[in-house]
Amino acid sequence: MTRPVTTSLPAAFDSRARWIAVASAALALVLVASMARAADAHGERQSLRAPSDFGARVLARVNDAVITGLDFQRAFDALSADGQAAVRQNPRKFLTVLIQREVLYQEARRAGLEEDALVRERLDQMRRAVLIDELSRRQQARAAAEIGGDEARRYYEANRAQFTSEERISASHILLATREEAEAGAARLRDGADFAALAQEVSRDEKTRDRGGRLFVVFRGRLSPELEQAAFAATPGVVTGIVQDADGFHLVLVHDHVPAAVKPFEAVEAGVRAKVVSAHGEQRLHEFIAQLERRARIEVNAGALADLR
């Protein structure tokens, strides 16, 4: 069996105030996990791939307590997509975190922090937060179950602009100060000069000169109007005529031109369905809260807030 990690706590932790801070940090792990799950509701989170008996396996013992595969699974499920990816790369490190959390929990109980008034108040707040989160999650899950199989397709058809890739080009340019310099550069290109080499020699654009004038991927709306009009109308592989704008005189070589296109439904289906599920879940939750508010007896003392700034 793997030897559990031993954590040695400094003597200063014996103080009441420091122990309250430790307990708060341990409890915060639960709240952070809950917040991570809510914040990542739109992410590509996955289930942990594990053997069928993994939940029953004892991964570590910490005094009289055990950390099982089920504990590991539940902690994993509460993480964000990025957190889950990190655990997949180093599950042992995550187990170490769970062990450290357990030794903190045991020591907090040994110190009697459960009887501390401030800790009990925070525990009550945590309990309320967990109950609220679970009720909200169940309402949203019911809404997700009500979604028909073709609803994602209908959303896609009604919002095709959301799934349209922007028109773009990849290009290089040479920037010169005068038309005479630009004409001389154009003549050298017609005589067979290499565009990238010429850009490194004469271009005044310090940002692109050292890489041969390369602009990489450019979407519409990112260039000056004069330069954009010429570049997006150019034939790939053919140097444009001289283009003047506020920066000077340009020679442009377009390498590739990709028109705007609607992504096929099959390519975005998972994301569309997630969006639809989220929208339905939020709507169901708002309606549920409104229903509860109508049934509740609510009295607002506006005067009590009058002096709040």
Side-chain angles (χ1 to χ4, degrees):
M1 177 182 295
T2 302
R3 184 175 183 272
V5 174
T6 301
T7 302
S8 177
L9 299 175
F13 270 46
D14 289 339
S15 69
R16 169 187 168 87
R18 184 63 60 87
W19 273 116
I20 291 176
V22 171
S24 299
L27 291 171
L29 291 172
V30 180
L31 180 58
V32 168
S34 175
M35 292 173 63
R37 182 181 66 193
D40 196 58
H42 299 88
E44 297 294 331
R45 297 169 66 247
Q46 301 178 2
S47 298
L48 183 66
R49 294 189 296 271
S52 58
D53 68 337
F54 181 72
R57 294 181 183 180
V58 175
L59 305 184
R61 296 182 184 274
V62 183
N63 297 320
D64 295 331
V66 296
I67 298 175
T68 67
L70 181 59
D71 298 323
F72 191 101
Q73 175 80 63
R74 288 172 173 168
F76 176 88
D77 289 342
L79 296 174
S80 67
D82 289 342
Q84 290 177 342
V87 172
R88 290 186 190 281
Q89 293 178 0
N90 195 340
R92 175 60 186 274
K93 185 175 181 179
F94 188 55
L95 178 58
T96 298
V97 171
L98 298 183
I99 291 171
Q100 292 171 344
R101 185 168 66 176
E102 180 61 29
V103 295
L104 281 171
Y105 171 70
Q106 291 183 19
E107 188 62 22
R109 295 194 65 185
R110 186 198 65 77
L113 291 187
E114 289 177 302
E115 304 305 317
D116 183 275
L118 177 59
V119 173
R120 292 178 66 178
E121 180 182 349
R122 290 179 175 176
L123 284 172
D124 183 60
Q125 293 174 355
M126 186 66 65
R127 179 175 177 275
R128 289 169 60 89
V130 170
L131 289 173
I132 291 170
D133 177 74
E134 181 60 21
L135 180 61
S136 300
R137 186 194 66 78
R138 294 188 181 193
Q139 286 296 317
Q140 292 173 316
R142 289 179 186 176
E146 297 169 355
I147 297 174
D150 60 343
E151 193 147 351
R153 168 74 74 171
R154 289 201 300 271
Y155 183 91
Y156 169 82
E157 296 295 344
N159 299 275
R160 292 171 72 89
Q162 293 184 18
F163 310 105
T164 300
S165 58
E166 295 182 66
E167 182 182 10
R168 60 193 183 275
I169 60 171
S170 59
S172 299
H173 84 135
I174 298 172
L175 176 64
L176 298 159
T178 67
R179 181 171 292 276
E180 290 73 17
E181 291 177 348
E183 289 175 348
R188 291 180 62 180
L189 291 172
R190 287 195 296 270
D191 290 340
D194 180 73
F195 193 97
L198 184 62
Q200 291 176 331
E201 178 186 343
V202 303
S203 180
R204 295 176 179 270
D205 185 350
E206 296 180 356
K207 294 181 180 179
T208 66
R209 181 177 58 210
D210 291 342
R211 58 174 185 255
R214 193 73 187 232
L215 296 170
F216 299 116
V217 177
V218 180
F219 295 94
R220 279 197 179 272
R222 312 295 170 82
L223 300 173
S224 67
E226 300 87 351
L227 194 56
E228 177 178 290
Q229 181 179 358
F232 277 82
T235 301
V238 178
V239 179
T240 65
I242 298 171
V243 181
Q244 181 180 3
D245 67 3
D247 293 327
F249 298 85
H250 303 261
L251 298 170
V252 182
L253 174 62
V254 174
H255 305 289
D256 189 28
H257 186 169
V258 180
V262 179
K263 300 174 184 177
F265 176 71
E266 292 72 22
V268 296
E269 182 176 2
V272 175
R273 179 162 180 80
K275 187 183 291 287
V276 170
V277 166
S278 176
H280 275 264
E282 290 178 6
Q283 180 180 352
R284 162 64 75 89
L285 184 58
H286 288 316
E287 292 173 351
F288 181 64
I289 293 173
Q291 179 184 9
L292 294 178
E293 287 179 323
R294 289 193 296 270
R295 286 163 41 188
R297 185 176 67 254
I298 300 173
E299 298 177 2
V300 176
N301 184 355
L305 295 176
D307 297 329
L308 187 62
R309 296 291 184 270

